[in-house]
């Protein structure tokens, strides 16, 4: 078992998958439970998660994401969808425009780490045609797809990515 920091270090975006190795049900449940354990404004969890394993639907998602082919190669996609009105009921515009999106993205980030802890990999896909994705997954009105996570067992070891220097990012106030 990796400790938390190793898990974080081992998370890399993977864009090539072993299509013939499905994601086990128990692992998928553990990943989704971890996502749903993330903090959310007012504990409202203003999101829904759509699981897509059907090959035709994954192919259609890949096309809706400007032909990013690894989406159909990955055996499973999780689509994290914000539910703005759920947050707006309590928090008005701030809930609708900010908290619902934050809730959704934090949950997706937790899922990415759980995927690594479960021995798999994922890539966060944000570059897609929103209305086409809604159509493919028959998303109920009022929900908005924010992120697609393509996930599965990796077929490649990705190149390490770089990060900005901490002193460019962090301001230490006296
Ligand atoms: C909001 C967001 C949108 C992204 N959209 C895409 C995408 O459409 N396609 C893709 O291949 N990667 C996408 N990525 C993944 C980033 O390219 C990747 O996280 C970044 O290059 C750092 O690499 P790493 O994840 O391996 O650390 C996205 C990541 C985020 C957070």
């Amino acid at each position: 078992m990796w400790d938390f920091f190793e898990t974080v270090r081992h998370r890399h975006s993977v864009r090539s998958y072993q299509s013939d190795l499905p994601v086990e049900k128990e692992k998928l449940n553990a990943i989704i439970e971890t996502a749903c354990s993330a903090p959310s404004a007012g504990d409202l969890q203003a999101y829904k998660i759509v699981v897509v394993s059907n090959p035709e639907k994954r192919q259609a998602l890949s096309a809706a994401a400007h032909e990013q082919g690894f989406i159909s190669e990955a055996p499973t996609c999780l689509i994290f969808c914000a539910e703005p009105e759920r947050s707006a009921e309590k928090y008005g515009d701030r809930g609708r425009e900010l908290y619902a999106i934050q809730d959704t993205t934090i949950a997706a980030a937790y899922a990415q780490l759980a995927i690594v802890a479960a021995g798999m990999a994922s890539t966060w896909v944000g570059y897609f045609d929103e209305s086409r994705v809604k159509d493919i997954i028959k998303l109920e009105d009022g929900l908005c797809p924010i992120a697609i996570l393509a996930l599965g067992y990796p077929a490649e070891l990705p190149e390490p990515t770089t990060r900005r220097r901490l002193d460019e990012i962090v301001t230490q106030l006296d």
Side-chain angles (χ1 to χ4, degrees):
M1 277 295 258
W2 281 335
D3 78 3
F4 173 75
F5 294 98
E6 277 178 301
T7 302
V8 172
R9 263 200 308 277
H10 280 89
R11 189 214 53 79
H12 303 289
S13 295
V14 163
R15 299 182 179 88
S16 181
Y17 292 91
Q18 303 184 53
S19 311
D20 48 344
L21 276 188
V23 175
E24 300 90 331
K25 235 191 180 113
E26 307 72 49
K27 286 191 174 182
L28 186 61
N29 284 342
I31 290 160
I32 290 172
E33 275 179 10
T34 304
C36 294
S37 73
S40 63
D43 199 19
L44 291 175
Q45 291 177 255
Y47 52 82
K48 295 240 165 112
I49 303 167
V50 179
V51 182
V52 183
S53 309
N54 174 285
E56 287 80 33
K57 288 204 168 64
R58 286 188 285 112
Q59 190 65 54
L61 286 173
S62 170
H66 311 280
E67 305 297 342
Q68 299 192 66
F70 64 86
I71 297 173
S72 53
E73 201 177 274
T76 299
C77 289
L78 298 179
I79 307 180
F80 286 78
C81 305
E83 197 178 346
E85 289 313 312
R86 188 172 171 81
S87 214
E89 270 177 36
K90 187 164 181 189
Y91 296 114
D93 285 347
R94 196 162 174 81
R96 182 180 296 108
E97 287 155 22
L98 180 64
Y99 294 167
I101 292 166
Q102 289 178 323
D103 289 0
T104 311
T105 50
I106 296 165
Y110 269 48
Q112 283 209 293
L113 295 178
I115 289 164
V116 177
M120 290 178 282
S122 68
T123 286
W124 182 304
V125 176
Y127 183 47
F128 55 78
D129 181 321
E130 198 177 296
S131 62
R132 279 176 75 183
V133 169
K134 279 184 179 171
D135 215 38
I136 293 160
I137 63 173
K138 301 194 177 4
L139 196 61
E140 57 194 273
D141 286 346
L143 295 185
C144 176
I146 301 291
I148 299 174
L149 294 191
L151 73 120
Y153 288 91
E156 66 165 13
L157 268 182
E159 294 291 313
T161 49
T162 54
R163 289 296 186 266
R164 293 165 64 193
R165 290 203 333 259
L166 292 188
D167 63 3
E168 282 181 20
I169 295 176
V170 179
T171 302
Q172 183 87 50
L173 292 186
D174 295 331

